């Protein structure tokens, strides 16, 4: 049985293409980059690289920032729709980074976290990589 795939291709920071399991590709441009969010992610990433202590809460904060960076607005809505539709099947979540997105490609995407309350009040978030029906893959194109 084939695995359904939800793919986010990062052409350059803020310039994305989303491919939903049904095969449609949707271009998405972030109206305005959130440089504070990007700096916060870089700070947490440096923190982890230095082997400083971490907690689940720190990972949730980092992962939530990563999610909001790569799944803004309509990207989140399309992901939730796919997640709900294929909840009883495996859904491969592919994060593809083109050469123009090299800075984002090195971020710790394994910690990406759907934020608490993102999909409704009182709904607890989750780490995409730890969800039993999701398969997280990162692909970095060299050329």
């Amino acid at each position: 049985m084939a695995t359904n795939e939800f793919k986010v291709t990062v052409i350059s920071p803020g310039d994305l293409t989303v491919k939903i399991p049904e095969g449609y590709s949707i271009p998405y441009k972030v109206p305005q980059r959130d440089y504070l969010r990007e700096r916060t992610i870089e700070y947490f990433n440096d923190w982890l690289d230095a082997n400083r202590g971490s907690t689940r809460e720190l990972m949730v904060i980092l992962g939530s920032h990563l999610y909001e960076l790569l799944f803004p607005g309509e990207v989140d809505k399309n992901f939730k729709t796919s997640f709900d539709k294929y909840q009883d099947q495996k859904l491969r979540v592919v994060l593809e980074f083109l050469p123009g997105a090299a800075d984002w490609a090195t971020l710790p995407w394994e910690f990406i976290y759907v934020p608490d309350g993102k999909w409704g009040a009182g709904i607890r978030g989750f780490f995409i990589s730890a969800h039993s029906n999701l398969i997280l893959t990162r692909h970095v194109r060299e050329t």
Side-chain angles (χ1 to χ4, degrees):
M1 177 170 72
T3 301
N4 297 300
E5 183 175 281
F6 183 91
K7 183 177 186 178
V8 179
T9 301
V10 184
I11 300 158
S12 63
D15 189 7
L16 316 170
T17 299
V18 175
K19 185 175 179 188
I20 60 175
E22 292 76 19
Y24 300 108
S25 289
I26 306 158
Y28 186 84
K29 288 211 184 278
V30 176
Q32 183 175 356
R33 285 180 63 185
D34 186 341
Y35 290 100
L36 178 58
R37 180 180 310 283
E38 291 180 44
R39 286 181 54 210
T40 302
I41 292 168
E42 289 171 15
Y43 175 81
F44 280 125
N45 195 32
D46 291 345
W47 179 278
L48 292 173
D49 284 346
N51 288 320
R52 296 184 181 149
S54 64
T55 63
R56 182 180 191 287
E57 185 60 23
L58 184 138
M59 297 296 100
V60 166
I61 293 168
L62 171 60
S64 296
H65 277 299
L66 288 166
Y67 186 87
E68 296 294 349
L69 185 68
L70 206 56
F71 288 71
E74 291 299 314
V75 180
D76 167 64
K77 289 178 186 173
N78 281 291
F79 179 57
K80 182 177 185 328
T81 298
S82 296
F83 179 84
D84 289 345
K85 183 174 182 176
Y86 298 103
Q87 64 184 335
D88 295 331
Q89 303 171 42
K90 295 289 184 190
L91 179 63
R92 182 180 306 276
V93 179
V94 178
L95 309 179
E96 180 179 48
F97 299 89
L98 302 185
D103 289 347
W104 282 17
T106 61
L107 296 175
W109 296 106
E110 60 273 18
F111 297 116
I112 196 166
Y113 184 88
V114 177
D116 296 334
K118 182 72 178 178
W119 291 352
I123 297 176
R124 185 170 178 155
F126 58 89
F127 290 100
I128 291 176
S129 62
H131 194 283
S132 61
N133 288 346
L134 299 176
I135 303 164
L136 180 64
T137 306
R138 173 180 15 190
H139 176 76
V140 180
R141 274 207 224 158
E142 303 268 334
T143 56

